[in-house]
């Protein structure tokens, strides 16, 4: 009889035990479906590639080469095309047209009639005579210059002084339209550098230190004489 009661109690209590077992196993928030989803573990943010495409680095900017600089044209030695033509024409009467243009152009004042050009040529010759005097004087005072050289330089200095004086007189001859005297004075200026060179050539083995200066004087004196000969006096 006791055994039957035990079996009966066991059968009655089985459903209750199952109920209590389910109550214990179901979590408290079972009513929330989101809570039952397993959590997703995210890795570090750096592990994701960026959504925006990565821009390739731009190539270095290469500066464009600067355009070649054209050399500045050298200014003409003449003041204007018209004076260029006039001076070229006048210097064409001489044996040294290029030297004539080079020597006279620094003295151009805008007037290029033949008489004005002649006066400019005489001014250029006067300047070279002054330079020759300065060179000869310096050499004459140089202690290293021998007595023979100094004697020759004295002759040169006398000749150069005469050239300066003749040029001053030649300007007066132009003003008075004295063609004969002008030609005589300008012809004399050619002889003075020759006299200087002869003073050195008369001494055996003596080389002239005034050679280059005398060459310039002779050339320009010849130019002035040729311009004067081409003049047409009114």
């Amino acid at each position: 009889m006791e055994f039957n009661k035990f079996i009966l109690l066991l059968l009655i209590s089985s459903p209750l035990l199952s109920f209590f077992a389910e109550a214990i196993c179901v979590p408290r928030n079972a009513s929330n479906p989101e809570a039952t989803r397993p959590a997703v573990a995210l890795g570090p943010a750096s592990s994701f590639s960026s959504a925006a495409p990565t821009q390739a680095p731009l190539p270095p900017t290469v500066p464009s080469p600067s355009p070649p600089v054209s050399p500045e044209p050298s200014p003409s030695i003449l003041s204007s095309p018209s004076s260029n033509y006039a001076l070229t024409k006048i210097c064409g009467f001489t044996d040294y047209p290029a030297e004539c243009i080079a020597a006279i152009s620094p003295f151009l004042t805008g007037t290029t009639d033949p008489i004005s050009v002649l006066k400019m040529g005489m001014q250029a010759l006067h300047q070279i005579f002054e330079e020759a005097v300065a060179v000869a004087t310096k050499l004459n005072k140089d202690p290293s210059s021998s007595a023979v050289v100094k004697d020759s330089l004295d002759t040169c200095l006398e000749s150069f002084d005469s050239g300066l004086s003749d040029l001053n007189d030649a300007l007066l001859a132009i003003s008075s339209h004295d063609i004969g005297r002008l030609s005589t004075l300008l012809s004399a200026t050619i002889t003075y550098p020759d006299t200087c060179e002869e003073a050195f050539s008369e001494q055996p083995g003596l080389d002239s230190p005034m050679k280059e200066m005398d060459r310039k004087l002779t050339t320009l004196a010849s130019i002035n004489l040729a311009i004067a000969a081409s003049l047409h006096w009114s």
Side-chain angles (χ1 to χ4, degrees):
M1 184 72 179
E2 293 295 333
F3 177 74
N4 292 333
K5 290 180 179 180
F6 173 73
I7 294 300
L8 180 63
L9 289 174
L10 181 61
L11 294 173
I12 295 173
S13 61
S14 295
L16 293 176
L17 292 173
S18 300
F19 174 77
F20 286 114
E22 290 180 359
I24 294 173
C25 293
V26 175
R28 184 178 302 177
N29 56 354
S31 61
N32 186 2
E34 294 296 330
T36 62
R37 296 178 181 177
V40 178
L42 300 180
S46 60
S47 64
F48 290 92
S49 61
S50 174
T54 303
Q55 185 177 4
L58 297 177
T61 303
V62 179
S64 58
S66 302
V69 179
S70 301
E72 292 293 333
S74 57
S76 173
I77 61 174
L78 305 179
S79 58
S80 67
S82 59
S83 62
N84 184 348
Y85 172 77
L87 183 59
T88 301
K89 182 178 180 181
I90 294 172
C91 288
F93 293 108
T94 72
D95 294 332
Y96 310 96
E99 290 83 350
C100 174
I101 294 173
I104 296 177
S105 59
F107 298 92
L108 287 175
T109 59
T111 305
T112 53
D113 60 274
I115 294 178
S116 297
V117 171
L118 174 59
K119 290 180 179 179
M120 296 173 199
M122 292 166 59
Q123 185 178 356
L125 180 57
H126 193 282
Q127 179 175 302
I128 298 179
F129 266 123
E130 289 180 336
E131 294 176 3
V133 169
V135 172
T137 300
K138 182 178 180 180
L139 291 173
N140 206 16
K141 293 180 178 180
D142 190 345
S144 63
S145 297
S146 64
V148 177
V149 170
K150 290 184 178 182
D151 288 341
S152 299
L153 289 171
D154 287 338
T155 301
C156 293
L157 287 171
E158 292 176 3
S159 298
F160 299 156
D161 286 337
S162 297
L164 291 170
S165 178
D166 285 351
L167 284 174
N168 292 330
D169 292 339
L171 286 175
L172 297 176
I174 291 176
S175 299
S176 61
H177 286 198
D178 191 341
I179 303 176
R181 180 162 174 75
L182 176 63
S183 298
T184 300
L185 292 169
L186 293 180
S187 296
T189 59
I190 298 178
T191 66
Y192 297 132
D194 289 340
T195 301
C196 177
E197 288 302 304
E198 289 174 0
F200 287 97
S201 62
E202 291 174 355
Q203 304 297 329
L206 189 61
D207 191 21
S208 170
M210 302 298 300
K211 184 181 299 183
E212 183 61 24
M213 190 65 69
D214 286 333
R215 185 192 65 79
K216 293 180 181 179
L217 289 170
T218 301
T219 300
L220 191 48
S222 173
I223 288 172
N224 287 335
L225 184 59
I227 294 175
S230 68
L231 295 177
H232 299 285
W233 300 89
S234 57

